[in-house]
Amino acid sequence: MDSIGTNRPTLRSLAAPRSSALLRPPRHTAPGSRVTASKLGIASGCGGVGGCNDLTLCRVPQQESRAGVQEVARRRRTQDDVEFVEFTLDHQKNKTGDIWHVLVEGLPASGVLYGYRVDGPKGWEQGHRFDNSVILLDPYAKLVSGRKFFGVEDEKSSQLFGTYDFDSSPFDWGDDYCLPNLPETDLVIYEMNVRAFTADESSGLHQAVRGSYLGVIEKIPHLLELGVNAVELLPVFEFDELEFKRYPNPRDHMVNTWGYSTINFFAPMSRYASAGGGPVSASRELKQMVKALHNAGIEVILDVVYNHTNEADDTNPYMTSFRGIDNKVYYMLDMNNNAQLLNFSGCGKAMIP
């Protein structure tokens, strides 16, 4: 999660809707091969330094859609003066085989926001859900910029963008860093939600770090006192805690504190950063938490759930990323029943294994 580039891992679902995996230091994998894009949006924030010449921001393959690809540039001159610029990509110039690509030179090395617009066939019965009026989040973005603070309803309509950070130095895991490598039969697992574990004032932590990755670090002595040698973290990927507040429903008074309703499976939950620090801080503090837990001899297990994306079901469809890029590629559909989402888990849908 250090930065983004063209190294985009393929999104893989498991046959089971819920899975767990011991967390290991990140490895770079091959570029993804299951995305179609039609607009790439970029935005430069204030204070960017350095250059990012020859940065390829879009290298994604085309699947179902033959729509043109567009690049959206969004330059933030001041906090209140934001300019959106969109460029249409020509399939003869910006497409090689099944790969759409664009080279953008001279961008800042951080503080740039980007998104996609995708267009294509509109037939519901064909399984498509293209809507080029919506700016979509890159499903492989390593950092996501959106709301700053957890559960703040005034921010519920915040636009989500992918972003990157090439200004910061790579995270220092330390020369003496090593994994606990405990036998599974010896694990004493404590399942927790990162935010809920320390969000209350009874945690005794400073308000700035309550409910954050850093808050978990502060409580490592407590975990050791309990005899815990492994923590299983409810989803720590970017998710939509305000999903119940989109429309009137029996749960519209609630906030999703569990961590399901995932928006992106590669970016850390930005609102778990301390003091509303945002996506770059979230990425760094997540690594600090994992390093501290491992150094204390505590394994880290991530809860990964592929039937709880924030794009809802066919009754209350919502579009953030996957559905608008290629619904047929990312979700299981019943093509013999008006392309309805298949629902094996009772959660409205399931992603393709």
Side-chain angles (χ1 to χ4, degrees), residues 20-286:
S20 299
L22 288 174
L23 189 62
R24 296 294 185 251
R27 295 180 180 178
H28 295 294
T29 56
S33 60
R34 302 182 68 180
V35 176
T36 174
S38 77
K39 284 191 182 179
L40 167 65
I42 40 182
S44 70
C46 301
V49 296
C52 204
N53 295 329
D54 298 336
L55 172 64
T56 301
L57 292 177
C58 182
R59 188 173 184 275
V60 291
Q62 173 82 357
Q63 290 287 338
E64 298 287 348
S65 172
R66 287 190 167 278
V69 180
Q70 294 186 344
E71 177 223 29
V72 183
R74 179 179 185 258
R75 294 193 175 275
R76 185 188 304 272
R77 293 172 179 170
T78 69
Q79 187 173 6
D80 300 317
D81 180 15
V82 178
E83 177 186 3
F84 285 85
V85 182
E86 300 191 2
F87 301 94
T88 300
L89 269 65
D90 187 332
H91 73 278
Q92 293 182 332
K93 297 179 180 179
N94 301 104
K95 187 170 183 285
T96 303
D98 290 332
I99 307 297
W100 288 99
H101 47 79
V102 58
L103 178 67
V104 183
E105 298 182 352
L107 290 174
S110 62
V112 173
L113 310 181
Y114 70 96
Y116 301 105
R117 294 187 193 269
V118 182
D119 204 0
K122 298 298 193 296
W124 178 283
E125 70 285 352
Q126 300 175 45
H128 303 303
R129 303 294 182 265
F130 298 115
D131 184 348
N132 66 359
S133 69
V134 179
I135 299 177
L136 301 168
L137 174 67
D138 177 4
Y140 304 104
K142 303 300 190 300
L143 299 173
V144 173
S145 177
R147 296 190 294 267
K148 291 189 65 175
F149 296 98
F150 191 91
V152 178
E153 291 192 48
D154 290 345
E155 294 187 287
K156 66 182 177 182
S157 60
S158 296
Q159 175 68 52
L160 296 167
F161 289 102
T163 187
Y164 59 78
D165 173 32
F166 294 107
D167 280 323
S168 300
S169 300
F171 183 76
D172 182 10
W173 290 94
D175 294 335
D176 58 347
Y177 174 76
C178 62
L179 303 172
N181 283 325
L182 302 176
E184 290 188 13
T185 54
D186 294 340
L187 295 183
V188 178
I189 301 174
Y190 188 104
E191 185 175 15
M192 71 162 71
N193 173 279
V194 166
R195 181 178 183 277
F197 187 53
T198 63
D200 191 79
E201 63 180 358
S202 62
S203 66
L205 303 183
H206 188 278
Q207 186 173 359
V209 298
R210 290 180 201 160
S212 71
Y213 301 114
L214 298 186
V216 175
I217 296 176
E218 295 287 335
K219 288 298 181 180
I220 288 177
H222 172 67
L223 295 171
L224 294 174
E225 185 179 354
L226 293 176
V228 169
N229 60 14
V231 293
E232 180 173 355
L233 304 178
L234 272 68
V236 292
F237 317 103
E238 189 72 23
F239 70 92
D240 183 7
E241 75 274 20
L242 298 180
E243 62 170 335
F244 301 137
K245 299 184 180 296
R246 295 181 197 145
Y247 57 90
N249 67 88
R251 297 191 292 176
D252 59 13
H253 63 290
M254 300 173 67
V255 170
N256 179 355
T257 188
W258 291 95
Y260 302 120
S261 196
T262 308
I263 293 172
N264 173 296
F265 290 94
F266 297 100
M269 177 58 170
S270 59
R271 289 174 295 289
Y272 285 172
S274 61
V280 175
S281 293
S283 179
R284 182 180 62 255
E285 292 175 9
L286 171 64

Side-chain angles (χ1 to χ4, degrees), residues 304-315:
V304 189
V305 181
Y306 292 107
N307 56 16
H308 281 278
T309 72
N310 80 314
E311 296 190 314
D313 52 21
D314 285 324
T315 303

